[in-house]
Each structure stands twice: as C-alpha cells, then as structure tokens.
Amino acid sequence: MTGSSVSFVRFTPCRGACRGTSSWRGSALTAGTIILQSVILSSCSGVQSALDPAGPEASDVATLFHVMLIGGVVIWLGVVGALFHAGRRAREPYSERTAGLVILWCGAIIPVIVLAALLSYAVWLMPNMRPWSSGGEGGLRQIEVSGEQFWWRVRYLDPEGNVLFETANEVVMPVGERVLFVLKSPDVIHSFWIPSLGGKMDMIPGRTNRLALEASKPGTYRGVCAEFCGPSHALMAFSVEALERGEFEAWLSGRQNAASNPGSQGLALFLRHGCNACHAIDGTDARGTIGPNLSAFGARGTVGAGTLPNTEEHIARFIRHPSEIKPQARMPSFGMIPEGDAEEIAAYLKGLK
Amino acid sequence: MTTALGEFSPDERAAQEERLRKAWETPKGWRYWTSVNNSQIGLWYGVTAFGFMLFAGVLALLVRLQLAVPNNDLLTADFFNQAFTLHGTVMMFLFAVPIFEAIAIFLLPSMLGARELPFPRLSAFGFWSFLLGGVFVCGSIFFNSAPSTGWFMYPPLATSKEYSGIGADIWLLGLSFIEVASIAAAVEIIVGIMKCRAPGMRINMMPMFAWYLLIVAGMILFAFPPLIAGDILFEMERMFGWPFFDAERGGDPLLWQHLFWIFGHPEVYIIFLPAIALMAMIVPTFSQRPIVGYSWIVLAAVGTGFLSFGLWVHHMFTTGLPQISLAFFSAASEAVVIPTGVQIFVFIATMLAGRVIFSVPMLFGAGGLVVFVIGGLTGVMVALVPFDWQAHDTYFVVAHLHYVLIGGMLFPIIAGIYYYFPFFSGKKLSDAWGKAAFWLMFVGFNIAFFPMHFSGLRGMPRRVFTYPGDVGWDWFNLISTIGAFIFATGVLTVVVDIFRPKTKLNDLNPWRSGTLEWTNNPDESWGMRSVPIISSRYPLWDQPGLQRDIEAGRYYLPDAQSGRRETLVTSVLDAEPIQCLRVGGTSYVTIVAALALGGVFIALTFHWWITTIVCAVITLMAILYWLWTGTAEIPPTPEMDVGLGKSLPIYVSGPASVGWWAMFITMVGDGTAFASLMFGYFFYWTIHDDFTAGLNGPGVFWPSVAIALFIVSWGLMLAARHLNRGDKIAGARLALIFSLAASLGGSVAGLLGPYVYDMQPTTHVYPAIVWIIVIWAVVHAVVGCIMQLYCLARSFAGIMTARYDQDIVNVTLYWHFLTITAVVSFGVVGLFPLVR
Amino acid sequence: MKHLLPPEIESLWTLFTAPVVWAAHFVVCYAAVAIYCEKAAVWDVDFGNVRTALGIFTLLALAMIVLSAYLAWRQWGFGAGDPPHDGATDQDRKRFQGFATLLLSGLSFVAVVYVAIPLIFIAGCQQ
C-alpha cells in the first residue's frame, strides 16, 4: 500500500489550529459536551467539511443541522431524564391513567407536531435550495464531470453543450455564480461530492444527473467519490478551486488557447512508450482519450486523483507502478520503462503549466 | 375457572410422564443432530447466529485497526473491502435476522403454552440451510474470494465480471439460500402464533413478544421476496448475460437499488422490532407490574410494519430522482418515528407506574434505550432530504446505523440473554460480570461511534480503506478504534460469563415473571407438562396455583398414549381448542433436504451444472419423501380425548388446518416476489420512451392460448377437489389428469410466444424481462404439476380420500395463486405492448 | 367458499384497514409522480392537474380512515371502558380490537397527512 502521505497542498489556515483541540478534548468529555463543543467549533473544520460551508446549499444544510442538533439534544435529555426518573426507587408509582397520558402526550402528540414542523421546513427548503432543477438551467455555466475508476474526467462546455477543453481531477469555478455540473459515468456508480459547497449527486451509468453548486467565497476545497466504486474508491478525490470572476475568466481563456507545446525529450519519450494511447496533452500528438487528459499537469496539486502530492518523484513512481499506489488502477504498470526515462517524462509533465 | 380440572394419582402421573418423555425424547449420540424439537433447534440456531456475530465482530476490529491512523498499510485494499462487505453481510443476514428466528422458535412454544410449533421439521430444515449457507459465505474470506462490493451489492460494480469476482456469486447464491430459511421460519412463526396458543389466550392476552413476532414474520413475507426476485435478475445477468442492470442494453442499475431497499429498509425493522419485543417482556417483570399501554404496543408494531415499506427510497436520495418523489419518502420516514416514539414511552410509562428493580437485563435495556434514542434522532435528521444530500454515504450514516442497531438490537439481545438464561439452563448469569460487561460495552460503544458523526460531517465517506492525514479525520478515527476494542472487551466478557461454570438454581422463575414460559422445566423436552387454560396476560401473577396444576397434568394433553408428539390447535381470535395436531418427530430427512438444496446453490456458484441437477433431484426426492411420510397422515381414530372431558379431531383440512395456512402464507410471499418482477417490467416501461426498443414481443396469440389453458386447468382443479369431496374418486383422478395436461399445455404455449418471435434475452432488457416473467410462470406450473402427480399417487395409494383430503385442498389453494400468476404474466407480456 | 378468508380472520383484518388505506395512498402518490415525471414530455399533462388529483385522492383516503376510526370507536363502545382490556371475555377482546384499531387509524391519518405535505411545497418534478 502507499507509504507516503496523502495530502492536499493548499489548506485553509484555521484548520491546523482547530484539529488538535476539538478532537483530543472530545475523547475525554462526555457525550453531551461533545455535542456542545462541536457547535462551537464546527465553523472551523477543514477543506472538506459540511460544517464549514462555502456555498449557499452547504450553508442551508449546516443551518438545518444546527437547528436539529439543538432540538435533538433537548429531546435526548428529556427522554433520558424521564428514564432516570422512572428508574428511581424512592418514588410513588404513577397511576395507570397518568402513565397512559405520558404515552399519549410524550409518545404521540408532541412528536406528531414536532415532526410535522420539521418535515415542512425541510420540504419547503428543497425547491428553494435547488431551484435550477425545475428547468431553469438555461444560462448556467456547464461543466461535465464523468466519474471513472478511479479518477474524474472534467470537461468545460460552452452554452450549446460543446466541449471547450478537457482536464482531470480538478475543477476550477467562478465565485458567486451557480455552475451546473453534468454528471455521468461510463463504468460503475460514483458519487460527486464537494462537502464545502453542497450535497452529493450520484453518477450512474446510463443516466445523466445534474447538480448546480455555487461557491460564495474564493478558496480551495476538496471533493471525493462518495459511492463505493471498487478497490481504490478511497483514492478518488479532486480539488475545487473557486476563483473571483475575473481570475476565472483569465484562467479559462488561458486554458482554451493553450499554445502548442514545444517538443522536448520528455514528450518524445512519452510518445515512444505509448502513453499517448490513453492520455492526451493539448497541442501535441498525444490524443488518447481512455485515461486522464494531462494538459497543464504541472499546475495540479496531486498525482493519481488526490493520492500523492504532485512531485516529479511521485509522477515517476506512478508511471512505473500505478497499482502499488492505487490498487487495481486501470493504468497498466510501466515497470519496464528505464527509471531514467520515467524521470524524464515526470519532469516533462511536472513542467506543463 | 369453570372447567373441572383433571386429577391423577401419583402412579398415573408417573406413567404419563414416562410416556411423554418417550414421545419427546431427544435422540442420543450422533443422532442428536437429527432432532427437530423446536427448543433444540432454537438453541442451535441462536448459538450459530451468535458465533457468526463474533466472527463479523472480528472483521470489524480489523477494519478499525486499518483505519486507526491515516495512510495505514496493515490490510490491502482488497482485503479491507472484503472485510467490510462481509462484516455488513454477516451481521445483517447471519446474525440480526436469524438470531430472532432462533429466539422466536425457542421461546414461542413455552410462551404460547404450546408443546411445539406446528412445523418442527421445517424449523430444522431452516436451521441446516442457514448453517450451510452461512459457513459457505463466511468461509469465502479464507480463500480470498469473499464478496467485496459492499453489503448492498450495487450493479454494475457487482454484476460485471470485469469489476467483481466470484465473491458476488457467493453473496447472491449463499444468501438466497439463507432467505429460504428465513421464509421457512416466518411461516412457522405466523402459523404458530395464530393457531397454537393455549386455550383462552385470546388476542388481547397474547404476550407482547408474540404480537411483535407475528408482525415481524409478516414483514419477512413481504420484504424478503423482492430481494429474492432481485437476486434472480442479478444472477441471470452474471451467469448468462441477461442485461437487467446493464445500461448499454436497456437495463438500469437503479432497479436493483429499488428491489434491494424494498427489502433493506423493512429489514431494519425486522431486526429492531423483535428486540423491542424482548424489552416488552423484560420491562414489566422488573417494573413488577403489567405493561401500560398494551394496545399502544400493538399500534406501534402494526404501524411500524406498514410504514417501514414506504421508506426505501430514503437510501436513494442522491440518485437524481425527482425531488417530489424523494419528499414522499422523506415524509413516510418521519411518520415511522411516531410508532417508535410510542414504544419508548410505553416502557417509560410502565416503569413510572411500577417499582423498578435495576437488574442486569434492565441495565442493558435502559442503556440500549439511551443509545437508541441518539440513533433515532440522527435517523430523523438523515430522513430529511437536504441533510441527507450531505450525510449520505458518510461516516455520519455509519454512526447512525450503529447507534440504531447496537442500541436498538444488540443491547436488548444481551438483556434477553441475561433474562432468559435461567429459562433454558436453569442457571443464572453473574450480576457482577454482567455489570462489568455492560459498562465496557456502553462506554466502548460511545467512544467508538460518537466521533464518527463528526468525521462524517467533516467529509469522510464510508467504505474507504485509507484516508489522508491532513483533512481532520485522524484523531476521530484513532478514538473510534480505541473505543471499538473496549466494546469488544465487553462482548468478550459476556461470552466468558456464558461459558463460566455455574450452579443450578432451584427455582424455575427466578425473576418472578408473570408470563407462561417461566413454568417451563428446562430439564424436560416436552415443553408444557399439560397445556393450561389462560385467563390473564400475566397468568403466573394472576392465576394462583397455575404452575402446580400444569405440573400435576391437570390441564389438556397430560398424556401421550399414542406415543406421538401432540399439541393443541386453537382458533385465531379467541383461542378455542379445535384440533389435536400431531407434529413431525425426529428425522434425518430435513438434513438431507437442506444439504442437497445447499448443494444446488453452491454448485451453481461454480457453474457445476451436472452437480446442480443431481442435487436438485435429491432435494425434490427428499422433500417428497418428507411430505409423503410426515404429513396428512390418516389417524387410527378420527378424534381423541385431550383431557378435561374434551374430544378433538386429529385430522382437519382446509382453512382450519395448519397446512392450509402454511401454503397460503408461502404463496403470499411467492406472490410478492412475482409482483417484484412485474415491478421490473413496468419500471423499464417508465424509464424508456420505447421500452421494447423496437424489438419483437411475444405476440398476442400464444400468450392468449396460455391464459385460456391455465383458466381451464384451474376449473378442472376445482372440479377435482369437488368430485373428490363427493367421493367420486375416479372422476376426481380424471379431472386432475386433465388439469395437469392443461397446465402443461399452457406452459408450452407460454414459452412458444417469446420463442417463435425469436426474442434474444442477451441483446436487450425487453426480451430478457419477458423471458424471465414467462419462465417464472412456467416454473410455477411445473411445480404445480408435481403436486398434482403427488395427489394422484396419494389417491391411488388410498391415503387421500373424500374425508381425508388435505392434499388436494392445499393444491387447489396453490392453483388459485398459480392461475393469478399465469393470467397476469401472459396478460401483461402479451397485451401491454399493445395498449401502452 | 363464500368468504375468501374465514370470518374470524376478516374481523382481525379490521385492524389493518387504516394502514392499508395509507399504503394505497402512498403507492398511488409515488407511482403517479414517478410515471408522470418520466412521461411528462410524452403525455403533455400539467403538474397542476396531477397535484389536484392527488389532493382529492388524499381527502378520499382521509375520509376512509375517519370511517374506519368511527367503526373502531363503535367497537370500543364509544369510549366505554378504559384500557387495559385484559379480561378473558369476548367484550374485552372486542374493546381491545376497537381501541387498537382506533389508535392505528390515528397513526394512519397522520401518516397520510405527512405524505401529502410535499404536494403543498413542491410544485413540479424538480429533477
């Protein structure tokens, strides 16, 4: 298995600070206090936390959760209190009639009212959280994401649905604008999830699902596959970078007009060893479509869909022994390539920006 | 009590006891394993299920070890995936459901005041099937070929041979086999509770446990068949490439999710309700008063039973279904909370109205409740669609389901073990060990699972074999692992306490309980010494001298002069005695049948076709032999004296007989599986603009011929029963033969439809679903024909006559269901393409 | 056979009437919407019509449950005799059945209302 650290390069500054406190203290305290702790600390919990929302959908859900959490704690304390009271020995037994009324009120009537209110709140929330699903997807910027064992194919589409360009394992999106993700899968079921921005949506062979998400503040977030999809399900992540509108437009046009890549020793080796059978690099003769598109690979944070930090050494290792890093990865091993060649290709890939 | 009780001299009593002991004797030596006595089978069943639980627990510890630290390489990804898949599968299919079948089979006879449940051999058959299937599924991990795609086996990951190996076949076939055992147990439990209660035990006086088990067995009947139907489609795809779940050929992976969760969600309640049933026995005993809100419990059990079938899509909130559909299921999921809340407050109210003794069973019960309420509250949360979009498939759900299952099921089970230990062994478990076990389990559990709520909300998906070190999950996971080991120590403490040597109590009822099972003497295998007349919900509290009278043989069936195992059958609502039933005794035929049937499933897994056929033939022979020698036996005298001056018939047929009920109940389950296949047909129609994809259908002609012939066959079957009843034996035999011919003709016509139109089931899902429906109907017709041949043989052998006509009456009942199946099948495949 | 089931079973069935009505209501709501959302484009029916039809059906289901509750109340003797109904008499057995049926009708009523709540707030398939 992978011995090296699985890591994300960029992270929000508060993460390191809160990680230590919330967790070790949590272990020592009783259940009730952990809940309260979490309420206090929940606003600070990382690049992949549903409780650290960076978009309207996630923040609606976080609010819903906090409302339910407080209600839940009150109910739990009430029930446990009643249980303890009922278990006390020095106490006159209640009459059967009074006990019957306890069932009627606490067991039936109060829950009916509370649940009806909660259900109405949640059902009212649904169409408001995802209004785009009632046919209002026109005009949204579209990104097609395809979950494949065990990586993400990401295609930027124009308003007519034509592919502008393709990349992999990274999503770059503008802040303050709903982006429509068109979700597909060619092999097994995956699930597309960026906890900081909103809920997940499955990618099901034969079906096309749609999910519109909005980032409300710039930053880097982490997305993962949330439906078990095979041996390396755990090693299928992607990064989400939310940029201010201007920056985003600049990035987009930069990628669309990628200058043709100058030939190099690394590219020649890449082609000689047949990497182009599966991989494409825009502006070169590498036009394979089976595996991830490697254009601007050097700008990505990780190798192998969030598995290893993007260094030349890791790239070379991945080329030679992908299955050691990612069990049963679809990419065949290129252990027969001389180490020097693999390093050369790695350097070339790392240099693609 | 108006009936005069019987009086016997000590000599007479000793002679009676000798005869009873002989009739109910448990065989010695290796023949011990041929025993079919329900209390024996219940014990084996329970111990086996508990053993599987420990095995799955060890797998869970391995999983926790791997996740203790980030980037761990203790287990390989593949082994980890096998371990968590098998952990879930074994806990659900080999522990949670079977343990209750075990407890029910074990407790119900004594609790209901029956000597025996009506089909002891069926229970034995179920047990051996369960054992064999369970060992097969669990053993696979030692050959590195266990299923590895998660316990709900989503296609295409689990259907395609490209992505999953033989493990998927082992899962499908091994568990289908176990589902057969579950349905067998459900039949036994329903008929037992409805028909075998002690005289006077009206439905308003049944023990709570019986109410719950009745509902649960009914749920099994409607919940398991959709999974069996799904398994059939699944295995047809894996084995022969019929594309039910393959999107490229018109199939849809979501159909499996529907069928699986129509089974899967009720299953949660099938697990949970019997645990609550145990609590409903324990709480009144230690509150020292009858339960408050008996009717409320009935409301809760029945209500949960129904509502639990309207929840399945809440496992599919992220699949992209219309939000309005999701909202319906969200609403039903919130509604099911109400009966659950009622149950909890029934217990609290009972405690409030009594004086509570905090014994070990009560400690586990109350602790379980404290844990379960947290699971219930998180359940309310995840049932809300927007929150589930975030929480689905994360460790939050892992935490939720373990809070529900361990609080709502495992803790009550341990409570039940401590409570009922004296019932089956005459010894008591230790209070000190019990308390230590409780605190280890309670504290360990919370340390293990509470942090998972946070790791889940912080974005940790379930089923990951490793995770990065810098996303804020590492501490939570380490704490969880430590907690898991503390919890495991607690479970181990219980196991040690069970096996520790203990001294015998000189008291049948150490807890001073009020229910009937506590009159049972664990040293005798006859169950009740005599079957009492009941006039209270808590007869031991309210009927003074009951224990003494039962033991003195003053009630029904104090003797076994025929040397046969006899029990009383009573009416459904008011429990009036109506029959003296002779049940099957010790036999090896059940083991042979179970092993042979197991052989069929195992051989199928490895595609050993000839072995499959041989085993199938042996199974059929064994079952026929079993029926021929063990059922519908003509008694030497039509009636017998059951004591207290009452004479009851020994042989009854039709709705009064337990066999008729077993057939009816089995066919209801069978009909549910059929309905699931039809659901599949219409599902494909909904999702495609043209679900036939322009391919040939079976036409109208041949399906219409099939329908006509099946209706003719049905008419002839009715005629045969009628003629037989009128003692026109020759006419009856003739009608049977013609009916058989008509249904065979109908089958051929049915098959000709898809055949002559050259429907290729591997090309597209439309021909595949048509073929599977037609095959389903035809297989039922063939089974029916075997039954008719059996009736003919019984008639020629002179053991099916005008008066003793159980066989033909039951086969006619089967024919009603067969006719509905055939008419619907051929009607839909033949006509629906025209009207759509 | 005049009765499909023996008469004594039919009277046990009264216990299940209200939950069966809930189940029927639930299945109709689910199936109507599932089919509508897949076939809306083909059939050209407005969602408003589906909503109205299901609304009427909901009222119908509620009426049937109220009827079942009334019959149960009658069986309970219009509230005569509080629980526990644990006597060994026909009367107590009937009252028990009546009371339990009444409670189940209440639960089914609430469950039908819950299932109808989405029809108020969600005005389309929203897929």
Side-chain angles (χ1 to χ4, degrees), chain C residues 32-59:
Chain C
V33 162
I35 295 173
Y36 170 81
C37 292
E38 292 286 354
K39 302 283 183 193
V42 190
W43 290 350
D44 194 29
V45 182
D46 186 49
F47 186 77
N49 297 337
V50 177
R51 192 147 90 152
T52 315
L54 290 179
I56 294 169
F57 187 67
T58 302
L59 293 179

Coordinates of all heavy atoms in Angstrom, one line a residue, chain C residues 32-59:
Chain C
A32 N -47.9 7.7 -9.3 CA -48.4 8.7 -10.2 C -47.2 9.7 -10.5 O -47.0 10.0 -11.7 CB -49.5 9.5 -9.5
V33 N -46.5 10.1 -9.5 CA -45.4 11.1 -9.7 C -44.3 10.5 -10.5 O -43.7 11.1 -11.4 CB -45.0 11.6 -8.3 CG1 -43.7 12.3 -8.5 CG2 -46.0 12.6 -7.8
A34 N -43.9 9.2 -10.1 CA -42.8 8.6 -10.8 C -43.1 8.4 -12.3 O -42.3 8.7 -13.2 CB -42.5 7.2 -10.2
I35 N -44.3 8.0 -12.6 CA -44.7 7.9 -14.1 C -44.8 9.2 -14.7 O -44.2 9.5 -15.8 CB -46.0 7.0 -14.2 CG1 -45.7 5.6 -13.7 CG2 -46.4 7.0 -15.7 CD1 -47.0 4.8 -13.6
Y36 N -45.4 10.2 -14.0 CA -45.6 11.5 -14.6 C -44.2 12.1 -14.9 O -44.1 12.7 -16.0 CB -46.4 12.4 -13.6 CG -46.4 13.8 -14.1 CD1 -47.3 14.3 -15.0 CD2 -45.5 14.7 -13.5 CE1 -47.2 15.6 -15.5 CE2 -45.4 16.1 -14.0 CZ -46.3 16.5 -14.9 OH -46.3 17.8 -15.4
C37 N -43.3 12.0 -14.0 CA -42.0 12.7 -14.2 C -41.2 12.1 -15.4 O -40.4 12.8 -16.0 CB -41.2 12.7 -12.9 SG -42.0 13.8 -11.7
E38 N -41.4 10.8 -15.6 CA -40.7 10.2 -16.8 C -41.5 10.5 -18.1 O -40.9 10.5 -19.1 CB -40.6 8.7 -16.6 CG -39.7 8.3 -15.4 CD -38.2 8.5 -15.8 OE1 -37.9 8.8 -16.9 OE2 -37.3 8.3 -14.9
K39 N -42.8 10.5 -18.0 CA -43.6 10.6 -19.2 C -44.2 12.0 -19.5 O -44.9 12.1 -20.4 CB -44.7 9.6 -19.2 CG -44.3 8.1 -18.9 CD -43.7 7.5 -20.2 CE -43.3 6.1 -20.0 NZ -42.5 5.5 -21.1
A40 N -43.9 13.0 -18.6 CA -44.5 14.3 -18.8 C -44.3 14.8 -20.2 O -45.3 15.3 -20.8 CB -43.9 15.3 -17.8
A41 N -43.1 14.7 -20.7 CA -42.9 15.2 -22.1 C -43.8 14.5 -23.1 O -44.2 15.2 -24.0 CB -41.4 15.1 -22.4
V42 N -44.0 13.2 -22.9 CA -44.8 12.5 -23.9 C -46.2 12.8 -23.8 O -46.9 12.9 -24.8 CB -44.5 11.0 -23.7 CG1 -45.1 10.2 -24.8 CG2 -43.1 10.7 -23.5
W43 N -46.7 12.9 -22.6 CA -48.2 13.0 -22.4 C -48.7 14.4 -22.4 O -49.9 14.6 -22.5 CB -48.6 12.3 -21.1 CG -48.4 10.8 -21.2 CD1 -48.2 10.1 -22.3 CD2 -48.5 9.8 -20.2 NE1 -48.1 8.7 -22.1 CE2 -48.3 8.6 -20.7 CE3 -48.7 9.9 -18.8 CZ2 -48.3 7.4 -20.0 CZ3 -48.8 8.8 -18.0 CH2 -48.5 7.5 -18.6
D44 N -47.9 15.4 -22.1 CA -48.3 16.8 -22.1 C -49.4 17.0 -21.1 O -50.5 17.5 -21.4 CB -48.7 17.2 -23.5 CG -48.9 18.7 -23.6 OD1 -48.1 19.4 -22.9 OD2 -49.7 19.2 -24.4
V45 N -49.2 16.6 -19.9 CA -50.1 16.9 -18.8 C -49.5 17.9 -17.9 O -48.3 17.8 -17.6 CB -50.5 15.6 -18.0 CG1 -51.5 15.9 -16.9 CG2 -51.0 14.5 -18.9
D46 N -50.2 18.9 -17.3 CA -49.7 19.8 -16.4 C -49.5 19.2 -15.0 O -50.4 18.5 -14.6 CB -50.6 21.1 -16.4 CG -49.9 22.2 -15.6 OD1 -48.8 22.5 -15.8 OD2 -50.6 22.7 -14.7
F47 N -48.4 19.6 -14.3 CA -48.3 19.1 -13.0 C -49.4 19.5 -12.1 O -49.8 18.8 -11.2 CB -46.9 19.5 -12.4 CG -46.6 18.8 -11.1 CD1 -46.2 17.5 -11.1 CD2 -46.8 19.5 -9.9 CE1 -45.9 16.9 -9.9 CE2 -46.6 18.9 -8.7 CZ -46.1 17.6 -8.7
G48 N -49.9 20.7 -12.3 CA -51.1 21.1 -11.5 C -52.2 20.1 -11.5 O -52.8 19.9 -10.4
N49 N -52.5 19.5 -12.6 CA -53.6 18.5 -12.6 C -53.2 17.3 -11.8 O -54.1 16.8 -11.1 CB -53.8 18.0 -14.1 CG -54.3 19.2 -14.9 OD1 -54.8 20.2 -14.4 ND2 -54.0 19.1 -16.2
V50 N -52.0 16.9 -11.9 CA -51.6 15.7 -11.0 C -51.7 16.1 -9.6 O -52.2 15.3 -8.8 CB -50.1 15.4 -11.3 CG1 -49.6 14.2 -10.4 CG2 -49.9 15.0 -12.8
R51 N -51.3 17.3 -9.3 CA -51.4 17.7 -7.9 C -52.8 17.8 -7.4 O -53.1 17.3 -6.3 CB -50.7 19.1 -7.8 CG -50.5 19.5 -6.4 CD -49.2 20.4 -6.3 NE -49.5 21.8 -6.5 CZ -48.7 22.8 -6.0 NH1 -47.7 22.5 -5.2 NH2 -49.0 24.0 -6.2
T52 N -53.7 18.3 -8.2 CA -55.1 18.4 -7.8 C -55.7 17.0 -7.6 O -56.3 16.7 -6.6 CB -55.9 19.1 -8.8 OG1 -55.2 20.3 -9.2 CG2 -57.3 19.5 -8.3
A53 N -55.4 16.1 -8.5 CA -55.9 14.7 -8.5 C -55.4 14.1 -7.2 O -56.2 13.4 -6.5 CB -55.5 13.9 -9.7
L54 N -54.1 14.2 -6.9 CA -53.6 13.6 -5.7 C -54.2 14.2 -4.4 O -54.4 13.6 -3.4 CB -52.1 13.6 -5.7 CG -51.4 12.7 -6.7 CD1 -49.9 12.9 -6.6 CD2 -51.8 11.3 -6.5
G55 N -54.5 15.5 -4.5 CA -55.1 16.2 -3.4 C -56.5 15.6 -3.1 O -56.8 15.3 -1.9
I56 N -57.2 15.4 -4.1 CA -58.6 14.9 -4.0 C -58.5 13.4 -3.4 O -59.2 13.0 -2.5 CB -59.3 14.9 -5.3 CG1 -59.6 16.3 -5.7 CG2 -60.6 14.1 -5.2 CD1 -60.1 16.5 -7.1
F57 N -57.5 12.7 -4.0 CA -57.3 11.3 -3.5 C -56.9 11.3 -2.0 O -57.4 10.4 -1.3 CB -56.2 10.7 -4.4 CG -56.1 9.2 -4.1 CD1 -57.1 8.3 -4.4 CD2 -55.0 8.7 -3.4 CE1 -57.0 7.0 -4.1 CE2 -54.8 7.4 -3.1 CZ -55.9 6.5 -3.5
T58 N -56.1 12.3 -1.6 CA -55.7 12.4 -0.2 C -57.0 12.6 0.7 O -57.1 11.9 1.7 CB -54.8 13.6 0.0 OG1 -53.6 13.4 -0.8 CG2 -54.3 13.7 1.5
L59 N -57.9 13.5 0.2 CA -59.1 13.7 1.0 C -59.9 12.4 1.1 O -60.4 12.1 2.2 CB -59.9 14.8 0.4 CG -59.2 16.2 0.5 CD1 -60.1 17.3 -0.2 CD2 -58.9 16.6 1.9

